[in-house]
Amino acid sequence: MIHIDICSKELLFKKPATTSRGTYTKRKSWFITLSSDDRPGHKGIGECAPLPYLSCDDLPISQYEMVLNKACQNFVRTGQIDTDSLCNYPSILFGLETAILHFEKNRFSFFDTPFSRGEAGIPINGLIWMDTYENMLKQVEEKIEAGFRCIKLKIGAIDFEKELEILRFIRRHFSSKEIELRVDANGAFSPKEAMTKLDRLAELDLHSIEQPIRAGQWEEMARLTASSPIPIALDEELIGHNTPEKKYKLLFLLRPQYIVLKPSLHGGIYGCSEWITEAQNWKTGWWITSALESNIGLNAIAQWCATLDNPLAQGLGTGGLFTNNIDMPLSVDNGQLVIDDGQWTIDN
């Protein structure tokens, strides 16, 4: 017989994490632990981590827990994940998917890859959080010193001229061949001002800009993706488009240069795999990003990401955001997320 236990944990940020939508000081995750009478000693842990004010399954806690409990009960009863009923609850789907992967392998190395064996890292972008000009500049210097070759700035919260100056600082010292620059506006630009700002950003030879205007403004976004001097990557725009038909329609109408996939937001591994297939049909680029999960979720995303052989820098976290994170052998070395396969502390 299959058993599932559910517990929650409030993760506390070391420093407030600010985007143009607001500031996080804490966030809540639910952890599901899978076991079975038929396989004693096997255990599978998955993380369900909806993002407040952003996830399509950001529900009141009591309602979220009701859906989570029902999904777990259905799995215990049938032994299968009902992906159709969970397509609108991506964080729950992701938690179940990864709990099963962990249970089947009985170790946190879900797949046999150079990353999971500790032989190779995954190149990631060094994320610069919104802050004062001085603190953002300090973050940039620290990321470059740490060996990152892709820097991503969250923009839209401080004066645009100051944000441009930070980017100019990087370009004065490093060409686009030396440092790849990405920016994420989180929808901060108005449609009226967006093209002017994109033109100015283009002078700095950026790789891409994520979500320049708010999601849901399809006519305006289609105009931008058709004429922007900087490749546009869609992130928030994808949330809630959880069927193959909706994914096809979005990519057909908006034609972004890239999409940015977060399993906790965009349909779990199952739904993100659908996005990747559809993106490849349209010759749309993509990369994988975590979404402020604990190390349980981060490891699961990284394990899956390592199987995809995507040469772009990924948007994976570093495991260093929270004061009370779960210890796992994830670290950053020279701009890459790496794992020490011999140092698991939870279980093997």
Side-chain angles (χ1 to χ4, degrees), residues 26-86:
K26 59 186 178 181
R27 62 87 44 87
K28 191 167 187 173
S29 283
W30 285 261
F31 297 91
I32 54 179
T33 302
L34 173 65
S35 60
S36 172
D37 295 337
D38 297 332
R39 299 174 77 173
H42 277 235
K43 180 171 67 174
I45 302 175
E47 180 176 5
C48 306
L51 270 177
Y53 314 114
L54 184 60
S55 299
C56 63
D57 54 1
D58 173 34
L59 305 171
I61 288 176
S62 60
Q63 189 176 347
Y64 185 88
E65 290 181 338
M66 181 178 66
V67 176
L68 175 59
N69 275 287
K70 183 178 178 181
C72 290
Q73 290 167 8
N74 285 343
F75 178 75
V76 167
R77 180 172 52 85
T78 66
Q80 295 181 325
I81 300 176
D82 185 350
T83 53
D84 288 340
S85 69
L86 289 178

Side-chain angles (χ1 to χ4, degrees), residues 64-274:
Y64 185 88
E65 290 181 338
M66 181 178 66
V67 176
L68 175 59
N69 275 287
K70 183 178 178 181
C72 290
Q73 290 167 8
N74 285 343
F75 178 75
V76 167
R77 180 172 52 85
T78 66
Q80 295 181 325
I81 300 176
D82 185 350
T83 53
D84 288 340
S85 69
L86 289 178
C87 73
N88 292 322
Y89 304 97
S91 65
I92 294 174
L93 178 55
F94 177 65
L96 278 170
E97 287 175 317
T98 52
I100 293 168
L101 283 170
H102 182 200
F103 178 81
E104 290 297 329
K105 294 293 184 181
N106 201 33
R107 57 185 288 119
F108 281 103
S109 297
F110 300 157
F111 307 99
D112 185 18
T113 65
F115 171 75
S116 71
R117 296 192 299 268
E119 298 169 1
I122 300 173
I124 61 175
N125 57 232
L127 181 60
I128 309 302
W129 286 97
M130 290 176 173
D131 206 325
T132 63
Y133 169 81
E134 291 77 15
N135 286 342
M136 289 181 74
L137 198 57
K138 182 181 178 182
Q139 289 182 65
V140 168
E141 292 171 334
E142 290 172 349
K143 296 296 183 186
I144 292 174
E145 288 176 4
F148 284 91
R149 290 297 171 260
C150 178
I151 303 292
K152 172 181 165 182
L153 273 77
K154 295 273 190 181
I155 62 173
I158 66 173
D159 180 70
F160 184 62
E161 296 300 327
K162 289 187 177 293
E163 291 169 340
L164 285 174
E165 185 52 41
I166 294 171
L167 294 166
R168 290 190 191 107
F169 167 82
I170 300 172
R171 278 289 169 258
R172 280 197 296 268
H173 296 84
F174 302 96
S175 71
S176 59
K177 292 181 179 180
E178 296 170 303
I179 295 289
E180 182 178 280
L181 280 178
R182 301 174 182 174
V183 294
D184 184 359
N186 288 123
F189 301 165
S190 70
K192 185 177 180 180
E193 69 182 355
M195 189 55 74
T196 299
K197 289 189 171 181
L198 290 173
D199 285 336
R200 297 193 66 191
L201 288 165
E203 298 170 3
L204 296 158
D205 202 3
L206 303 188
H207 172 270
S208 57
I209 179 170
E210 290 181 39
Q211 205 68 45
I213 63 175
R214 281 187 298 104
Q217 302 176 92
W218 279 24
E219 186 175 344
E220 293 88 347
M221 184 65 84
R223 282 201 295 267
L224 290 178
T225 58
S227 54
S228 171
I230 303 171
I232 289 177
L234 297 185
D235 178 359
E236 290 96 331
E237 200 75 63
L238 312 182
I239 295 171
H241 298 275
N242 297 322
T243 65
E245 295 77 17
K246 289 182 177 180
K247 292 168 185 175
Y248 169 88
K249 183 178 179 181
L250 184 147
L251 293 178
F252 171 70
L253 292 176
L254 298 187
R255 308 291 177 95
Q257 286 72 41
Y258 295 100
I259 57 174
V260 183
L261 298 171
K262 301 176 180 179
S264 292
L265 293 178
H266 300 135
I269 292 174
Y270 180 88
C272 285
S273 297
E274 286 187 339

Side-chain angles (χ1 to χ4, degrees), residues 286-347:
W286 54 272
W287 64 85
I288 307 299
T289 300
S290 54
L292 305 180
E293 295 89 356
S294 77
N295 279 336
I296 294 289
L298 173 59
N299 173 69
I301 297 169
Q303 293 284 334
W304 171 62
C305 181
T307 70
L308 301 175
D309 296 324
N310 187 326
L312 296 176
Q314 306 299 298
L316 303 179
T318 64
L321 282 178
F322 305 112
T323 61
N324 59 339
N325 209 337
I326 297 161
D327 288 336
M328 296 184 80
L330 296 166
S331 61
V332 177
D333 181 27
N334 202 34
Q336 296 190 341
L337 185 68
V338 296
I339 198 164
D340 185 343
D341 191 42
Q343 296 297 320
W344 292 110
T345 57
I346 299 178
D347 82 345

